[in-house]
Amino acid sequence: SWGAWILVAIYPASLLLGAAWLDEDEIRRAGPLAGALRALAAAGRRGHRGLLAAHALLGVGLGAYTGVLLGTLGARALWSSALLGPLFLASGLSTGAALAMLLPLGEEPHRRLRRWDIGALAAELALLLLYLVGLATGGEAEREAAGLLLGGPFTPAFWGLVVAAGLAVPLTVEIAEDRGRAWSGAWAPALVIAGSLALRWILVSAGQA
């Protein structure tokens, strides 16, 4: 039930945090909802520091809980790993940074987000490799589960969509961008988002195979 409670808490926290950034002109444009929005904005500004801390904690919980949930299902060998929580969290951080990079931002915010994404992609790639090594060197059930991704029916999608298109290519391109050697525009962040979706789809589907 932790995931449900996190979802219950994160929506009002997001609403208050978003309202706190609105100025009076933006609030007036809400028409009949302006009064309620003004009250939300005032509440968000009063507790801004605590709200930021709570939002960060809720965001970490939201990013990791799906992997933690799968990791508790020991009867499914592909999911029975403590690394799934950190892996899903790193993937969520990377996806969030990639989505923000698709917004119309200035050069400096884009550069900071790109560096966040580079770190998250590198962590995700390292965790994914450790996860595969753990499966491949485990017991018979773990080795059979690893075979689904290392020579089985999910191998082309896993290595093509997740590892190559979702991690290796955008990580290489973003490092080159950070050094001023390339410019991908929107396609590298889009690959990150698609690869993150593919990671979840493949792990959930393969775990039930």
Side-chain angles (χ1 to χ4, degrees):
S1 63
W2 276 100
W5 284 113
I6 291 168
L7 287 172
V8 166
I10 202 165
Y11 285 114
S14 296
L15 185 62
L16 282 169
L17 192 62
W21 290 95
L22 296 175
D23 60 32
E24 186 58 29
D25 287 340
E26 291 169 325
I27 290 173
R28 284 199 200 96
R29 285 201 290 270
L33 297 176
L37 198 54
R38 191 174 288 110
L40 282 174
R45 289 172 192 137
R46 279 196 303 271
H48 196 247
R49 282 198 168 192
L51 195 58
L52 283 172
H55 209 269
L57 290 172
L58 288 168
V60 169
L62 185 66
Y65 95 89
T66 309
V68 173
L69 174 64
L70 294 178
T72 64
L73 304 175
R76 298 286 181 174
L78 193 72
W79 295 342
S80 185
S81 172
L83 288 172
L84 282 184
L87 175 62
F88 275 49
L89 176 58
S91 175
L93 288 169
S94 171
T95 306
L99 181 62
M101 282 195 289
L102 295 177
L103 300 175
L105 301 172
E107 183 178 344
E108 182 58 24
H110 193 281
R111 183 185 65 83
R112 288 200 302 268
L113 284 167
R114 185 171 61 238
R115 290 188 174 179
W116 266 98
D117 201 31
I118 288 170
L121 285 171
E124 185 182 351
L125 188 57
L127 288 165
L128 193 58
L129 292 176
L130 288 172
Y131 167 70
L132 291 174
V133 169
L135 287 176
T137 57
E140 182 180 354
E142 284 76 15
R143 291 196 299 271
E144 288 183 5
L148 294 168
L149 306 176
L150 303 172
F154 292 90
T155 301
F158 176 74
W159 289 94
L161 296 177
V162 178
V163 178
L167 290 171
V169 171
L171 179 59
T172 302
V173 170
E174 287 183 6
I175 290 173
E177 283 181 340
D178 199 53
R179 296 176 178 176
R181 297 177 182 173
W183 178 250
S184 69
W187 67 265
L191 280 179
V192 172
I193 296 169
S196 180
L197 176 63
L199 172 70
R200 285 154 176 77
W201 170 71
I202 290 168
L203 286 183
V204 170
S205 299
Q208 299 174 77

